[in-house]
């Protein structure tokens, strides 16, 4: 008989950024832009781009190995892998299957989640529910993204915003009640998919010479609309999950928001009347790493000592879809 655990904790985190750093000045050599424009409009100073041949699953594997080491468990103890990505190595098989082999795990349940930049929070939600059922003991949750191949380096409004990277967390069942992932929520509104999308390469517009000539295999975005929606949905998701647990923003030690634009984070902090210091950010060094972003920020905040035992941490994200999600974690 399955026995639900008392709680699900984040037993260890890890992240990986590729070696190659691309500064705003480097971007200004590719498109008509400037360090000043990018910095003041987004907070980004530089981002990392994966090497040629370095895949999403390679970056995911590097982050996963660090998370497993931090959790201090044997890889044989992992029985579930969920990878959030919108830039898989290939349409199929899933990146999670490739990671299973590369990390050297057993023949465990492995699948991908596609919720764009909300992917890490969606994956945490799914994996923690599967652990809560009692059917699994230790899950590897990964957010990994190689955005650089889908960026249009003829479109200055999008190509300066994104970067590559990966993050991972080991979720484990625990007998200690009242700690770990207290809850997660998610939402989606698919009525305007073209606000942020990659039109070509799927079944709607299969890859062809014409689709490539029309640059349809690159990311397209209505930045202004996404900006407004991002602030609204992240505020709503944060307040909703706090309300569900009878808590307020004052109870939260640290907010880990999706890293898309510093001005989005500033607007969110202002609307929620929370000092900006309680929002972790690394946009200046990473840009927007999509599904990897929340996990990279979480790993960084923990390793910098910004998260202590007993702290309440709120993860919140939005992404293409539009999708959004939030997770509330009481650090064990
Ligand atoms: N360098 C120089 N000028 C630029 C650049 C650039 N890189 N990009 C745009 N501009 C120009 C525009 O062409 C425009 O010029 P014009 O007035 O002559 O037409 C001017 O700058 C202002 O452009 P806006 O679009 O009004 O600039 P805005 O202040 O809105 O900032 C930005 C644009 C940074 C994209 C902002 O809207 C934003 O961050 N939106 C949210 C994007 C986001 O978060 N996306 C990720 C979603 S998550 C996911 O799921 C992948």
């Amino acid at each position: 008989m399955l026995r639900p655990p008392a709680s699900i904790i984040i037993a260890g985190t890890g992240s990986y950024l590729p070696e190659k750093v691309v500064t705003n000045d480097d971007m200004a050599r590719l498109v008509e832009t400037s360090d000043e424009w990018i910095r003041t409009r987004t907070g980004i100073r530089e981002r990392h781009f994966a090497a040629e041949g370095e895949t999403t699953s390679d970056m995911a594997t590097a982050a996963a190995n660090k998370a497993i080491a931090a959790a201090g468990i044997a890889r044989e103890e992992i029985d579930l892998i969920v990878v959030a990505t919108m830039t898989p190595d290939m349409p199929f098989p899933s990146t999670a299957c490739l990671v299973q082999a590369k990390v050297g795990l057993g023949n465990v349940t492995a699948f991908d989640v596609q919720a764009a930049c909300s992917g890490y929070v969606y994956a945490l939600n799914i994996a923690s529910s599967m652990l809560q059922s009692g059917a699994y003991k230790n899950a590897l949750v990964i957010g990994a993204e190689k955005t650089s191949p889908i960026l249009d380096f003829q479109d200055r409004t999008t190509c300066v915003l994104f970067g590559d990277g990966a993050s991972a967390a080991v979720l484990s069942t625990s007998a200690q009640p009242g700690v770990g992932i207290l809850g997660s929520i998610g939402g989606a509104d698919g009525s305007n998919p073209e606000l942020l999308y990659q039109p070509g390469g799927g079944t709607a517009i299969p890859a062809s010479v014409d689709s490539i000539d029309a640059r349809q295999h690159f990311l397209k975005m209505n930045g202004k609309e996404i900006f407004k929606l991002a602030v609204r949905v992240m505020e709503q998701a944060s307040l909703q999950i706090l309300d569900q647990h009878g808590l307020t923003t004052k109870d939260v030690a640290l907010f880990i928001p999706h890293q898309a634009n510093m001005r989005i984070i500033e607007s969110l902090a202002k609307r929620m009347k929370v000092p900006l210091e309680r929002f972790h950010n690394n946009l200046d060094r990473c840009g927007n790493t999509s599904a990897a972003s929340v996990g990279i920020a979480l790993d960084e905040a923990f390793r910098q000592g910004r998260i202590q035992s007993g702290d309440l941490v709120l993860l919140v994200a939005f992404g293409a879809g539009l999708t959004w999600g939030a997770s509330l974690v009481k650090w064990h």
Side-chain angles (χ1 to χ4, degrees):
M1 209 176 72
L2 297 180
R3 279 179 199 283
S7 64
I8 313 295
I9 58 164
I10 297 182
T13 61
S15 59
Y16 170 82
L17 292 170
E19 207 177 304
K20 185 176 175 191
V21 174
V22 179
T23 65
N24 289 345
D25 286 336
D26 293 330
M27 294 304 301
R29 282 188 271 278
L30 299 172
V31 284
E32 201 184 326
T33 188
S34 65
D35 173 53
E36 203 266 336
W37 193 96
I38 302 171
R39 245 186 321 101
T40 54
R41 298 288 179 127
T42 71
I44 299 166
R45 288 174 187 272
E46 59 189 36
R47 73 288 289 143
H48 295 247
F49 280 169
E52 216 182 309
E54 186 177 30
T55 62
T56 298
S57 68
D58 291 333
M59 293 189 285
T61 298
N65 283 329
K66 288 185 191 169
I68 294 168
I73 64 168
R75 52 199 67 225
E76 297 73 40
E77 293 177 75
I78 289 168
D79 45 15
L80 170 67
I81 314 171
V82 186
V83 175
T85 188
M86 62 173 195
T87 51
D89 286 21
M90 53 192 95
F92 64 87
S94 70
T95 301
C97 286
L98 305 177
V99 172
Q100 178 266 336
K102 286 183 182 181
V103 178
L105 301 179
N107 300 125
V108 304
T109 305
F111 62 93
D112 287 1
V113 168
Q114 217 285 39
C117 301
S118 308
Y120 187 85
V121 174
Y122 264 61
L124 273 186
N125 192 351
I126 295 163
S128 60
S129 304
M130 290 175 75
L131 262 59
Q132 192 58 50
S133 74
Y136 297 88
K137 296 276 181 276
N138 298 288
L140 192 52
V141 170
I142 297 172
E145 216 80 86
K146 185 172 177 178
T147 61
S148 50
I150 63 162
L151 298 178
D152 186 347
F153 290 101
Q154 292 181 11
D155 176 9
R156 66 177 182 175
T157 68
T158 53
C159 72
V160 301
L161 303 174
F162 295 88
D164 300 337
S167 55
V170 172
L171 304 192
S172 297
T173 53
S174 165
Q176 187 189 349
V179 293
I181 300 179
L182 303 183
S184 297
I185 55 167
D189 176 359
S191 56
N192 284 306
E194 68 288 344
L195 284 175
L196 177 52
Y197 72 147
Q198 182 185 351
T203 54
I205 305 175
S208 67
V209 173
D210 287 347
S211 75
I212 289 172
D213 283 349
R215 310 187 76 73
Q216 287 173 314
H217 51 298
F218 291 127
L219 175 152
K220 322 259 180 221
M221 180 174 69
N222 177 338
K224 265 197 195 320
E225 226 17 66
I226 288 281
F227 191 110
K228 284 185 272 178
L229 288 167
V231 177
R232 205 177 72 213
V233 298
M234 286 207 290
E235 181 191 16
Q236 280 170 359
S238 302
L239 297 180
Q240 187 188 338
I241 196 162
L242 286 170
D243 190 53
Q244 277 179 1
H245 291 82
L247 298 162
T248 73
T249 54
K250 291 198 172 62
D251 298 305
V252 179
L254 192 65
F255 290 82
I256 312 269
H258 170 47
Q259 311 284 312
N261 184 324
M262 198 53 213
R263 290 190 298 140
I264 292 178
I265 297 176
E266 284 164 1
S267 303
L268 181 64
K270 200 166 155 200
R271 278 174 74 129
M272 296 207 297
K273 300 187 179 61
V274 174
L276 192 57
E277 300 72 59
R278 281 203 278 139
F279 282 75
H280 189 77
N281 78 81
N282 60 21
L283 265 160
D284 56 335
R285 286 165 290 114
C286 299
N288 180 349
T289 56
S290 185
S293 116
V294 170
I296 293 173
L298 176 67
D299 180 51
E300 197 179 83
F302 178 67
R303 286 172 194 266
Q304 286 173 2
R306 293 197 76 185
I307 302 173
Q308 303 296 329
S309 177
D311 279 352
L312 196 65
V313 179
L314 198 155
L315 315 179
V316 62
F318 72 97
L322 200 69
T323 55
W324 57 89
S327 293
L328 201 52
V329 185
K330 180 136 177 129
W331 215 262
H332 58 284

